[in-house]
Amino acid sequence: MAVIGWIGLGHMGGPMATHLARAGHEVVGFDVDARMAEQARAGGIRTVTDAATAVRDADAVFTSLPRSEHSRQVLIGDAGQPGVFDRVRAGTLVLDTSTVDVETSRACHEAAAARGIRFVDAPVSGGIAGAHAGTLTFMLGGEADATAEAATLVDPMAGHVFTVGGPTSGIAAKLANNLMLFITLQASSEGARLAEALGLDPAVFHDIATVSSGDSWPLRTWYPVPGVVETSPANRNFDATFTTGLAAKDLSYALAAGDAAGLDLAAGRLAMERFERLIDEGYVDKDCSLVVKYVGLDGRTPGFDPAA
Ligand code: NAD
C-alpha cells in the first residue's frame, strides 16, 4: 500500500480520497478550507496544514482543485513559491483530477518532465454522486508507464478507467465530452419546451425521445420539466447537481481549445452565452439545466420559482 498526498478535499476530492483510504492507502490530505479538511478526517484522511507536508513522504500525489490557475499554482508554483513538483522525489507519480484547460495541462506535463516527475492528466466524469459511489470515469493522459500505474491506483474510485494516450489526451477527452454535454443540454431544453407548447404530455414525449433519435444523457438525467425524471433538478427548483459556474468553466476551456485548433464551435458558443446570462442574473450556483428558462420568451420555466 502506498503513501498518497492529496491536495484539494472539496466536493470531489474529499470523497475520492476516502475511497483510497478505505482501500488501505495512507492518505495525507490538505485543503486551504479547514472545514473541508475536517470533513475529510471523518473519511479516514490524515490532514495536515500545508501542501508541502501533505506530499513530503508521498509515493503518489493527487490534486482536485477548482480551476486551471489553482492547478498551476499548486503543482508548478508561482512568485518564487515552490510547487508540488519541486517537493516530491524524482519518479513520483502526480495525478491532476481537476478539469483544467489544455495549456495548463501541457505546462504541468512539461514542468514535471523537467524535474523527472511522472505527471498524468486524470480528469473525471460522474459528478459528486460518482465521487461518493466510487464509480467515476477516469481519462488518463501521459507517458505509458505513468498511465499504466495510474490506472491501477485510481481503481478504488472508478467505474471506468480509460488510458487515453499521451500527455493532455485525458483532458482533451474530458473537454470534448463536456462540450457535447452542454450542447445536448440545450437541445433537450428546446425539445422539451416545444413538445409542451404543442400539447404533448411531457412523460409520454420523454418516453418517445429516449428510445428515438433525440436521445441524450441530459434528456435522460436532467429532463427540465418537473415530475418526469427523478434525477432532474427541475423537481427541486433547479438546485444544483452541476452548477452553472462549473459548467461555464468547463465550456470556456473547451471553446478555448477549439479556438486554438482553428474550429468553429458555434453550438458551444450559444451554450456558453446562455450560461453567461444565468451568471449575470445571479444564478451561478443554480443547476446549469436552468438554461431551459431562456427557451420561453418570458424567461420563466415550469419548476422554477426565482423567489424560493
Ligand atoms: P470544490 O470547490 O468543492 O473543491 C476544490 C477544493 O480545492 C476546495 O475545497 C478548495 O478549498 C480547495 N483548494 C483551492 N485552492 C487550494 C490550494 N491552493 N490548496 C489546497 N486546496 C485548495 O470543487 P469540486 O466540485 O470538488 O471540483 C474539483 C475539480 O473537479 C474541479 O476542477 C472540477 O471542475 C472537477 N470536477 C467536478 C465535478 C463536479 O460535479 N463537482 C465533476 C467532474 C469534475
Side-chain angles (χ1 to χ4, degrees):
M1 287 298 151
V3 177
I4 293 174
W6 193 294
I7 299 175
L9 297 162
H11 293 95
M12 297 294 288
M16 289 164 75
T18 296
H19 284 290
L20 290 184
R22 282 196 198 128
H25 297 297
E26 183 187 347
V27 185
V28 187
F30 168 64
D31 195 297
V32 286
D33 183 338
R35 288 165 308 175
M36 303 317 280
E38 192 181 324
Q39 278 180 28
R41 274 199 294 283
I45 314 302
R46 178 159 74 83
T47 60
V48 293
T49 52
D50 58 84
T53 312
V55 306
R56 193 178 51 211
D57 301 318
D59 301 308
V61 174
F62 283 83
T63 44
S64 175
L65 296 163
R67 299 180 57 89
S68 294
E69 53 269 32
H70 302 104
S71 288
R72 272 185 195 264
Q73 185 235 321
V74 167
L75 290 168
I76 304 175
D78 67 358
Q81 292 293 315
V84 166
F85 295 148
D86 300 305
R87 298 188 185 278
V88 294
R89 294 186 294 269
T92 303
L93 192 62
V94 179
L95 297 86
D96 189 11
T97 67
S98 323
T99 305
V100 299
D101 59 57
V102 175
E103 286 311 310
T104 295
S105 185
R106 187 170 295 119
C108 289
H109 276 284
E110 287 171 2
R115 294 163 176 80
I117 311 297
R118 296 182 305 146
F119 180 69
V120 174
D121 50 294
V124 295
S125 183
I128 297 167
H132 279 278
T135 57
L136 293 170
T137 296
F138 276 80
M139 295 157 249
L140 306 177
E143 300 303 333
D145 70 309
T147 53
E149 198 175 320
T152 307
L153 199 55
V154 302
D155 183 67
M157 304 178 278
H160 303 276
V161 181
F162 291 92
T163 301
V164 187
T168 76
S169 62
I171 204 70
K174 168 75 183 174
L175 296 181
N177 177 77
N178 281 23
L179 170 71
M180 294 193 296
L181 165 67
F182 300 130
I183 293 170
T184 49
L185 169 62
Q186 189 62 38
S188 61
S189 301
E190 293 189 9
R193 291 304 305 273
L194 179 65
E196 183 201 28
L198 298 181
L200 300 187
D201 178 320
V204 172
F205 174 64
H206 185 263
D207 283 350
I208 294 167
T210 50
V211 294
S212 301
S213 43
D215 189 25
S216 69
W217 189 91
L219 181 84
R220 277 178 272 113
T221 317
W222 287 342
Y223 194 72
V225 174
V228 180
V229 174
E230 210 287 311
T231 48
S232 171
N235 299 325
R236 287 169 283 276
N237 203 35
F238 291 84
D239 287 344
T241 63
F242 195 136
T243 68
T244 299
L246 206 53
K249 179 196 85 159
D250 290 8
L251 187 52
S252 73
Y253 294 165
L255 292 176
D259 280 347
L263 301 176
D264 179 14
L265 304 181
R269 282 200 309 278
L270 174 67
M272 189 68 194
E273 180 203 298
R274 297 288 159 108
F275 291 149
E276 284 168 349
R277 278 172 77 179
L278 282 181
I279 292 168
D280 288 346
E281 282 192 71
Y283 298 128
V284 66
D285 292 325
K286 280 287 185 187
D287 197 81
C288 61
S289 61
L290 187 55
V291 289
V292 68
K293 87 189 193 73
Y294 299 121
V295 181
L297 295 179
D298 60 358
R300 303 183 69 81
T301 198
F304 182 55
D305 176 0

